[in-house]
Amino acid sequence: MLTSKQRAYLRSLANSIDPIFQVGKGGVTPDLTQAIDDALEKRELIKINVLNNCMMSPREVCDILHERTHSEPVQVIGKKIVLYRPSKEKPSIELPK
């Protein structure tokens, strides 16, 4: 579980990154979940864009992805979701204590 200080730090890092995934009317598919899982292992912090034609709210998409990828939701703002999970191989983001 992230503290508010850690969440704020991750939000500041996420400001400079672009969304690398889009969730559309197909919703959260197993293929999308696997791709996001792989991206979290490589990047640790990712941003996802929820398109207008998606039948689920960004909060619902975030909850599903958070559960399936065992990641921490950093923020859901508008149609954008930020997820964080430390890399098992070589973590690169050092969180404040």
Side-chain angles (χ1 to χ4, degrees):
M1 201 69 196
L2 294 172
T3 66
S4 58
K5 188 176 183 180
Q6 291 168 333
R7 200 175 302 277
Y9 175 70
L10 290 171
R11 271 199 307 265
S12 72
L13 292 178
N15 279 337
S16 62
I17 64 174
D18 292 322
I20 57 170
F21 291 102
Q22 294 185 326
V23 181
K25 67 180 176 192
V28 183
T29 63
D31 289 343
L32 178 69
T33 305
Q34 185 58 53
I36 288 173
D37 196 51
D38 294 343
L40 280 165
E41 181 57 38
K42 284 191 182 79
R43 299 172 183 232
E44 297 183 304
L45 188 68
I46 62 168
K47 196 181 280 186
I48 302 160
N49 199 8
V50 179
L51 301 176
N52 290 332
N53 65 356
C54 183
M55 300 302 171
M56 296 184 282
S57 74
R59 171 54 58 194
E60 290 171 313
V61 172
C62 180
D63 291 343
I64 291 169
L65 289 172
H66 146 72
E67 197 175 289
R68 290 184 186 171
T69 61
H70 307 291
S71 59
E72 289 290 336
V74 175
Q75 99 183 111
V76 178
I77 190 161
K79 295 276 188 182
K80 302 223 180 335
I81 299 168
V82 178
L83 294 176
Y84 168 76
R85 186 182 74 200
S87 171
K88 293 178 188 84
E89 305 280 311
K90 42 185 181 221
S92 60
I93 297 175
E94 195 167 317
L95 295 175
K97 295 287 178 240

